[in-house]
Amino acid sequence: MTTHDIPASEWPAFVERFSREHRAWLGTIHGIERGAPVTRIPSIGMESVTLERSGSEPVLRLRFTNGISLCAPRPRAVRVQQTDDGAECALEIDAAQDAFLRLGFRATARPDELDGLAPGEVMVETCPSG
């Protein structure tokens, strides 16, 4: 496995692509603040990762399919961990005040190896009978 730093100038494009390719993937969230574990949420579907602004400061927000939203204020580093075959298996965010978020996926695959949609992505349209 390898871990790659994402340059800050590439964060907007990276989080947009990462969100699109990994939407509804199940993962475990680990959060650490000031060196002490504060969060562990297993087997939760990822909804999105967004780069937002709070005043002049950047904020990375992770949203999940159960309504949970976690923020990483003033991120200092964004990293993606990949398997030997190039599949992304984790997202890591170092933030201000010694905060750290890690989203590790339960299963990994390269998005080009997948077919179909995750059940949470399927929308059923109904047409009125006429």
Side-chain angles (χ1 to χ4, degrees):
M1 286 205 202
T2 58
T3 302
H4 302 282
D5 282 303
I6 308 302
S9 62
E10 296 176 17
W11 291 354
F14 170 79
V15 298
E16 190 277 324
R17 179 200 55 81
F18 189 88
S19 292
R20 185 179 63 252
E21 290 181 355
H22 301 292
R23 184 171 168 81
W25 283 32
L26 295 178
T28 297
I29 305 162
H30 295 274
I32 298 172
E33 190 172 332
R34 295 182 184 92
V38 294
T39 309
R40 184 178 182 282
I41 304 169
S43 296
I44 186 171
M46 188 194 83
E47 185 176 304
S48 66
V49 181
T50 55
L51 181 61
E52 303 171 358
R53 291 263 173 221
S54 176
S56 63
E57 299 290 335
V59 174
L60 278 167
R61 181 179 303 273
L62 284 75
R63 288 186 176 91
F64 300 92
T65 55
N66 67 353
I68 289 176
S69 175
L70 298 174
C71 291
R74 296 189 328 251
R76 297 181 299 203
V78 175
R79 295 180 200 91
V80 64
Q81 189 175 46
Q82 295 179 316
T83 62
D84 293 337
D85 69 350
E88 295 174 336
C89 57
L91 175 67
E92 299 177 347
I93 303 167
D94 280 324
Q97 300 175 349
D98 296 324
F100 177 79
L101 285 175
R102 182 178 192 277
L103 170 62
F105 293 120
R106 190 167 79 178
T108 59
R110 291 192 327 260
D112 62 326
E113 295 176 330
L114 303 174
D115 61 353
L117 297 171
E121 295 298 294
V122 177
M123 295 178 64
V124 178
E125 291 187 32
T126 57
C127 296
S129 56

